[in-house]
Amino acid sequence: MRSCCSTGKLRRRLQPDRVAAQPLAKLFHDKIQVVFDGIDTNLWQPRPGLPRRVGNRVIPEGVKIVTYVARGMESMRGFDIFMKAANLLCKRRRDVIFVVVGQDRVCYGGDRRVTGKLSFKEWVLSQDQYDLSRFIFTALLPTVTLAELFASATCTST
């Protein structure tokens, strides 16, 4: 059996990068589309000297930034476990803040069966005493803003 590439009947082919497209490039260059499937390292990279800020809040040098990022704050995404760990760190270290990125909603699972009328975030916060001055809760962030946050973060959980 002959492939479409060997018979010249290629209509369209997607390749993950230009290197993978090279063997086919001469014969089928007008029918190959490179669709990048990796990480855009121009965006997602360390950025020394970037101002350390979340919204209007400036984070001083020397303060560690730990992030949690998910579409929703829910048990399926480990929000409750993150908050327990963050609370332990808060009690042991004065030089750390926590940035929680995501919506106060449940996307998967049955968290409402546990929380009753409370959102999962409200329920988790009601289970312990948190120093909320050390937590920044944001909504979902634009990609560029999230990349800047990650570039400033000491530790990231997604």
Side-chain angles (χ1 to χ4, degrees):
M1 182 187 297
R2 292 163 52 169
S3 74
C4 64
C5 293
S6 63
T7 63
K9 296 180 183 177
L10 181 69
R11 286 177 289 187
R12 182 170 176 236
R13 182 174 178 116
L14 301 176
Q15 291 294 129
D17 57 50
R18 296 202 187 288
V19 173
Q22 283 303 318
L24 303 171
K26 291 178 184 165
L27 186 57
F28 300 107
H29 75 280
D30 59 330
K31 296 178 181 180
I32 296 174
Q33 179 182 358
V34 175
V35 178
F36 183 69
D37 69 346
I39 296 170
D40 181 354
T41 56
N42 291 320
L43 177 64
W44 303 96
Q45 64 175 321
R47 298 183 193 179
L50 187 71
R52 293 166 38 100
R53 97 174 19 114
V54 178
N56 294 330
R57 187 166 168 184
V58 175
I59 312 302
E61 286 298 324
V63 173
K64 312 264 187 279
I65 302 172
V66 178
T67 66
Y68 170 91
V69 179
R71 184 171 45 169
M73 296 174 212
E74 56 193 329
S75 62
M76 184 74 74
R77 301 281 180 224
F79 176 68
D80 51 335
I81 305 301
F82 172 83
M83 290 301 291
K84 286 178 186 177
N87 208 21
L88 285 173
L89 276 171
C90 254
K91 291 174 181 172
R92 293 181 182 170
R93 299 187 65 128
R94 301 294 313 150
D95 64 342
V96 65
I97 64 150
F98 303 88
V99 180
V100 178
V101 178
Q103 297 171 317
D104 187 8
R105 72 181 186 124
V106 173
C107 300
Y108 300 100
D111 291 343
R112 288 281 178 177
R113 288 188 295 255
V114 174
T115 66
K117 294 182 181 180
L118 298 175
S119 72
F120 193 67
K121 173 188 169 187
E122 292 168 334
W123 182 81
V124 167
L125 292 176
S126 74
Q127 300 302 301
D128 206 341
Q129 292 182 353
Y130 293 91
D131 179 357
L132 294 180
S133 70
R134 310 258 308 274
F135 288 84
I136 301 171
F137 291 91
T138 74
L140 296 176
L141 296 175
T143 302
V144 171
T145 306
L146 184 61
E148 290 170 355
L149 174 62
F150 281 174
S152 299
T154 309
C155 180
T156 299
S157 171
T158 57

